[in-house]
Amino acid sequence: QVQLVESGGGSVQAGGSLRLSCAASRWPNSNYCMGWFRLPPGKEREGVAAIITTTSLLSTYYADSVKGRFTISRDSAKNTLYLQMNSLKPEDTAMYYCAAKYGSCPGWKVFEVDAYNYWGQGTQVTVSS
């Protein structure tokens, strides 16, 4: 079992920045994918950014709505996944969740909720205009 704990959410004005962190109770030894999803008020959960790591490759994926503004990264030494969010907009307001699958992950599924078997409790991000 893996526990994921998000932190770093808060309230900012449009144009501001936040960095979300996701601390994992243990880090995978080889192939894995980890991602950030968000649940905006009144909408469905959507994938924001994801990272796939294999023994020979690291790939990142971004939703069109956040490309150029958000950056996903990880620090395996700290068992932590990050999401740097810049130029925030009111439409970025949502509960943000960290998700992980320890094992192989096809790229076409990185933004599918059922691709992941571990989820955090979420951290709220509110962007005011």
Side-chain angles (χ1 to χ4, degrees), residues 41-61:
K43 298 183 179 180
E44 295 185 351
R45 191 174 300 200
E46 61 183 11
V48 175
I51 192 167
I52 294 180
T53 299
T54 68
T55 54
S56 59
L57 190 67
L58 185 152
S59 302
T60 56
Y61 302 80

Side-chain angles (χ1 to χ4, degrees), residues 25-96:
S25 58
R26 64 176 178 87
W27 203 252
N29 294 324
S30 56
N31 300 352
Y32 65 91
C33 57
M34 298 188 78
W36 289 96
F37 286 73
R38 65 186 181 187
L39 183 61
K43 298 183 179 180
E44 295 185 351
R45 191 174 300 200
E46 61 183 11
V48 175
I51 192 167
I52 294 180
T53 299
T54 68
T55 54
S56 59
L57 190 67
L58 185 152
S59 302
T60 56
Y61 302 80
Y62 296 95
D64 288 342
S65 58
V66 306
K67 279 181 182 177
R69 300 188 299 121
F70 291 12
T71 303
I72 189 171
S73 63
R74 86 276 190 263
D75 186 337
S76 55
K78 295 182 178 180
N79 289 8
T80 302
L81 179 76
Y82 300 101
L83 184 67
Q84 178 66 44
M85 306 186 295
N86 298 328
S87 303
L88 283 161
K89 304 176 181 180
E91 50 264 43
D92 295 318
T93 293
M95 182 72 80
Y96 283 72

